[in-house]
Amino acid sequence: MSYTNERIAQLVRADSVHKSVYTDPALYQLEMDRIYGQAWIYVGHDSQVPNLGDYHATRIGDQDVVMVRASDKKVYVLYNRCPHKGAKLVPDGCGNAGKFFRCPYHAWTFKLDGAHLSAPMKGGYEGTAFDAKHPDFAMRQLARVESYRGFVFASQAPGGPELVDFLGGVVSSIDNLCDRSPVGEVEVAGGVFRVMQTSNWKVFYENLHDTMHAPVTHESSFVAAREQAAEMGEMPLELHIMDGNGEPYSFWEKLELHAYEHGHGYMEGIFNPGAANTDAVTRAHYEVLEKAYGAERASAILGQNRHNTIIYGSGSPHTVFQQFRVIRPMAVDRTLIEIQTFRLKGAPEAVFKRSLMYANVINSPSSNVMADDVELYDRCQKGNQTRGGEWTSLHRYAGQDRVVDGGMQSTNGTSELPMRNQFKAWKTYMLASNRTTIPIAVEACSAAQLGDDCHAA
């Protein structure tokens, strides 16, 4: 069975996509090669590896990788594989390797930049083709690694745009997150939430800018928040951030959605506790920023109001509450969400505590809000596996969005512009290979399964 570029192109229309993009394991494997094997993908923050030998083991697409701080103080990203028998050198998560990596299988060792260091009983290799200096006997580095203000990205492709050019219009979200610190630096702190979602990785990206779902999907949580507030006689921030999902459609229509190349974009904020300087935490935050940057810039930093930014293929920074929801595909129907919370260096501790509160209320596995979303993602995955239809709709305000400098902007806050933009990028990635046909060992897909516009190769 072969996948042709023609067949892939037919899966994405201007106003809809074929359901197989969420359910077909063969397409998922192509995504791992053509998207996650090409794009810049967020690996982690350099604050997760502050000391010599510190490592953070994670994934880029279907590849196990490890980010490590080496003796030259640089951060490297290596494939998590011993070249002897292929064993993973370190387990997932964070740890410290010491001065070198040591394979737990046969004790081959490697410098922290991946170079081969030693192998036991070297006499056994005399007279063979074994060469400790040859790359085949070292841990392999990823093709390209760059850091932007401490956020480490890697690409498995040797060529392509530079990181800043790839990020384009959403680089300003990373800037704003860091600028909220009076010293311009942030660090991962307070632990990391992990949630396994039984759905395709693209579903979460779409939902991040789906304003139409909020008052429907989250009815249970915002109604509960309002009932609790009524009993208390006030609406504290913990309840207010849940109540925000219950705004009427007229509220969501006024929000701005921005879309950029490579599938990126951002959504205007639902609320911003730092914009008005009305509470003690914000006033204290403003004072340290004013001292560092001056009044005008301090107001501009806290006044930038973005809810979810999308870095397509990596995840979603939330600048106001210093979060990063990292989205890691695990299978065609499984997606691991890793929620990192950042401390703003030099900012009042109360600002960090507010970020932790937001993480617990919104992003925790036990959150009332997240449970709503996760259930609906699962329902989308299961529904798209039925014979109830072939296409999913992206019609809202299709063809009506505005072209602006560097990208596009919605004419209405309920537009499905972000989803159309993501699939435009998806299609570009998936068709970018120089190979016309990719051999895939899958069952044949009939023309009826693909719909009238598609055909099996």
Side-chain angles (χ1 to χ4, degrees):
M1 185 67 183
S2 298
Y3 253 107
T4 65
N5 280 356
E6 178 186 10
R7 182 183 175 202
I8 292 172
Q10 291 170 341
L11 298 176
V12 179
R13 297 170 173 171
D15 54 15
S16 53
V17 296
H18 192 264
K19 67 180 184 181
S20 60
V21 302
Y22 307 105
T23 62
D24 187 348
L27 283 174
Y28 174 82
Q29 288 304 316
L30 279 180
E31 291 170 343
M32 296 304 100
D33 176 38
R34 297 187 178 183
I35 300 177
Y36 285 88
Q38 301 294 322
W40 286 102
I41 305 296
Y42 176 65
V43 182
H45 193 268
D46 65 11
S47 64
Q48 294 175 283
V49 290
N51 304 308
L52 171 69
D54 284 349
Y55 68 81
H56 173 62
T58 184
R59 287 167 67 90
I60 291 181
D62 59 355
Q63 300 297 303
D64 291 312
V65 301
V66 56
M67 177 177 71
V68 61
R69 179 81 65 175
S71 56
D72 59 4
K73 299 183 180 181
K74 293 182 180 179
V75 173
Y76 292 84
V77 181
L78 314 167
Y79 289 100
N80 193 354
R81 176 187 183 272
C82 176
H84 179 210
K85 295 295 184 181
K88 284 180 67 172
L89 279 158
V90 295
D92 295 340
C94 294
N96 185 281
K99 294 182 179 180
F100 53 84
F101 288 111
R102 180 180 184 273
C103 181
Y105 197 7
H106 295 97
W108 281 33
T109 59
F110 307 89
K111 296 179 182 180
L112 296 175
D113 64 1
H116 184 93
L117 186 58
S118 68
M121 306 290 287
K122 287 188 176 180
Y125 296 103
E126 292 180 1
T128 73
F130 175 84
D131 180 0
K133 296 182 180 180
H134 194 280
D136 284 351
F137 301 101
M139 294 178 68
R140 184 172 296 177
Q141 298 180 11
L142 272 74
R144 294 185 295 162
V145 177
E146 287 190 29
S147 175
Y148 184 80
R149 301 194 70 167
F151 291 82
V152 179
F153 291 78
S155 171
Q156 298 184 73
E162 298 298 315
L163 176 59
V164 172
D165 295 330
F166 170 79
L167 294 172
V170 297
V171 76
S172 57
S173 292
I174 297 178
D175 284 334
N176 184 250
L177 174 56
C178 296
D179 290 345
R180 287 172 179 259
S181 157
V183 298
E185 297 180 2
V186 300
E187 59 184 352
V188 176
V192 175
F193 287 130
R194 291 180 176 85
V195 180
M196 185 68 77
Q197 299 177 353
T198 53
S199 52
N200 186 266
W201 63 275
K202 296 183 288 296
V203 175
F204 193 14
Y205 278 103
E206 294 179 52
N207 190 72
L208 286 166
H209 288 178
D210 185 339
T211 58
M212 287 293 292
H213 89 282
V216 181
T217 301
H218 298 299
E219 183 177 7
S220 61
S221 55
F222 76 71
V223 168
R226 291 173 180 178
E227 290 175 349
Q228 182 66 34
E231 291 182 15
M232 297 173 62
E234 61 176 332
M235 179 70 78
L237 185 59
E238 292 87 339
L239 298 179
H240 178 56
I241 59 179
M242 288 194 289
D243 175 64
N245 283 316
E247 295 286 357
Y249 287 130
S250 58
F251 169 85
W252 302 101
E253 287 186 302
K254 296 175 183 177
L255 295 182
E256 290 184 359
L257 302 169
H258 293 255
Y260 298 100
E261 192 178 6
H262 306 301
H264 310 324
Y266 67 80
M267 169 187 168
E268 188 181 11
I270 300 174
F271 48 81
N272 183 1
N277 291 358
T278 55
D279 63 277
V281 175
T282 299
R283 287 195 296 271
H285 192 187
Y286 174 81
E287 287 174 4
V288 298
L289 292 183
E290 182 184 29
K291 185 176 180 180
Y293 301 126
E296 183 176 353
R297 189 170 176 220
S299 295
I301 290 170
L302 292 182
Q304 186 180 102
N305 187 18
R306 295 183 184 175
H307 187 59
N308 292 324
T309 293
I310 287 175
I311 303 176
Y312 195 61
S314 292
S316 177
H318 190 307
T319 60
V320 174
F321 288 104
Q322 296 92 243
Q323 318 280 305
F324 198 134
R325 284 183 282 189
V326 186
I327 302 174
R328 305 215 185 272
M330 303 299 288
V332 70
D333 58 356
R334 287 194 304 137
T335 304
L336 178 65
I337 309 301
E338 180 182 278
I339 300 98
Q340 300 174 351
T341 301
F342 291 85
R343 175 185 281 115
L344 307 175
K345 292 185 179 181
E349 186 66 12
V351 177
F352 177 58
K353 289 182 178 180
R354 185 168 63 188
S355 299
L356 292 178
M357 178 274 293
Y358 182 88
N360 278 283
V361 172
I362 300 297
N363 293 325
S364 163
S366 60
S367 158
N368 290 344
V369 178
M370 177 171 283
D372 296 334
D373 284 323
V374 171
E375 179 180 350
L376 267 296
Y377 303 158
D378 179 71
R379 290 193 186 199
C380 288
Q381 194 69 26
K382 290 176 178 175
N384 278 325
Q385 291 171 337
T386 73
R387 298 188 179 95
E390 301 302 317
W391 298 88
T392 66
S393 170
L394 304 176
H395 288 80
R396 278 196 73 80
Y397 290 95
Q400 301 179 50
D401 300 303
R402 297 190 296 269
V403 176
V404 296
D405 185 30
M408 296 189 72
Q409 182 178 321
S410 63
T411 55
N412 186 290
T414 65
S415 171
E416 288 176 317
L417 165 66
M419 300 74 164
R420 292 189 290 269
N421 186 59
Q422 289 168 30
F423 275 105
K424 178 182 178 182
W426 183 91
K427 185 175 179 179
T428 299
Y429 277 121
M430 295 292 279
L431 299 180
S433 172
N434 291 326
R435 298 166 293 180
T436 303
T437 303
I438 306 296
I440 301 289
V442 295
E443 296 179 1
C445 182
S446 69
Q449 288 174 313
L450 285 173
D452 293 338
D453 285 0
C454 297
H455 61 274

